[in-house]
Amino acid sequence: MANTIDTSVLNSLNQTTGASANKASATDDLSNSFMTLLVTQLKNQDPMNPMENAEMTSQLAQINTVNGIQDLNKTLEGITSQIDAGQTLQAAALIGQGVLVPGSRVLKEGEVTTPFGVELEAPADEVTISITNDSGEVVRSFSADDIGALDAGVQSFTWDGTLQDGKTQAADGSYNVSIQASQGGEPVNVTALNYAQVGGVVTTDSGPRLDLGAISGQVGLDAVRQIL
């Protein structure tokens, strides 16, 4: 009895083989070029001064190196794609969440104010915070005694919206936060952080970016210091 092969199976095998051939074509072409060059050198070498074994070995090693680099590039491309996909999922999970990112804005509406934060490069035993209006006038300040010593890293705060007397509410609007920090009298690097809500994710060539609206614009995932 004659054996028969299902044509659909045959077509599938041909497609798989063709795809594999396409992926390997670039590497194979480069390897073939190196091999052709090596064979040409062997054919045209001076019989009285033939290529030494060490030189031939070096040529073959170069071929293997090229193949290895091509394989490494493919592996890195795959890893990069996985990282990008993971970052996009992380970014998407933040939609609707509040985050602290570098910035100095505090918004006030009624008796509600947005949180703000402090990022210290090192511990600080004296930290002062000033809240100013758009004219630069200080409307509320917090002394080192009010805040106390802080560890290195990110700390979040809220302002109750009152003026210096602690009772009268400041006018609604946008305010700025400025922070000074020191340890043993020596200044400590400090970054002010403002609150923003993630409204969406934008895909760019450099990776996903979070859309934080008009105040903070678009930032990368690395700008998020705390999720509230």
Side-chain angles (χ1 to χ4, degrees):
M1 180 182 292
N3 293 326
T4 61
I5 299 178
D6 189 336
T7 56
S8 64
V9 174
L10 183 60
N11 289 335
S12 177
L13 288 173
N14 288 335
Q15 291 174 359
T16 302
T17 302
S20 299
N22 289 333
K23 291 180 180 178
S25 62
T27 302
D28 290 343
D29 288 346
L30 198 53
S31 297
N32 290 337
S33 296
F34 269 100
M35 189 61 73
T36 300
L37 178 61
L38 178 59
V39 172
T40 301
Q41 287 177 326
L42 290 173
K43 285 182 178 179
N44 295 281
Q45 65 182 336
D46 184 356
M48 303 302 295
N49 185 26
M51 182 183 293
E52 295 182 0
N53 290 337
E55 189 175 354
M56 185 181 299
T57 301
S58 175
Q59 295 273 13
L60 293 173
Q62 290 181 42
I63 295 174
N64 289 331
T65 299
V66 170
N67 288 337
I69 291 174
Q70 292 290 331
D71 292 340
L72 179 60
N73 286 338
K74 291 179 181 178
T75 300
L76 290 176
E77 287 176 2
I79 293 174
T80 299
S81 297
Q82 292 178 356
I83 291 174
D84 288 343
Q87 287 183 333
T88 300
L89 288 175
Q90 279 184 303
L94 290 175
I95 294 177
Q97 298 272 12
V99 295
L100 288 180
V101 296
S104 60
R105 286 287 185 179
V106 173
L107 301 180
K108 180 182 182 301
E109 185 174 354
E111 296 186 2
V112 178
T113 60
T114 55
F116 64 92
V118 173
E119 182 179 25
L120 293 169
E121 190 175 280
D125 55 15
E126 287 197 15
V127 178
T128 60
I129 298 175
S130 297
I131 298 176
T132 59
N133 58 24
D134 286 340
S135 299
E137 179 185 1
V138 177
V139 298
R140 184 69 187 269
S141 62
F142 300 92
S143 68
D145 292 336
D146 297 326
I147 298 170
L150 297 179
D151 294 329
V154 175
Q155 310 282 344
S156 59
F157 297 89
T158 55
W159 169 43
D160 62 6
T162 61
L163 299 177
Q164 198 62 38
D165 60 12
K167 298 178 181 179
T168 307
Q169 286 286 324
D172 290 353
S174 176
Y175 294 84
N176 295 308
V177 174
S178 60
I179 304 158
Q180 291 78 40
S182 63
Q183 175 71 24
E186 294 296 324
V188 173
N189 288 334
V190 58
T191 301
L193 308 173
N194 62 215
Y195 172 88
Q197 189 172 50
V198 181
V201 177
V202 180
T203 302
T204 68
D205 292 339
S206 58
R209 296 182 67 79
L210 304 176
D211 184 359
L212 303 181
I215 294 180
S216 299
Q218 295 179 5
V219 301
L221 283 171
D222 58 346
V224 176
R225 300 296 191 267
Q226 192 175 84
I227 301 172
L228 301 176

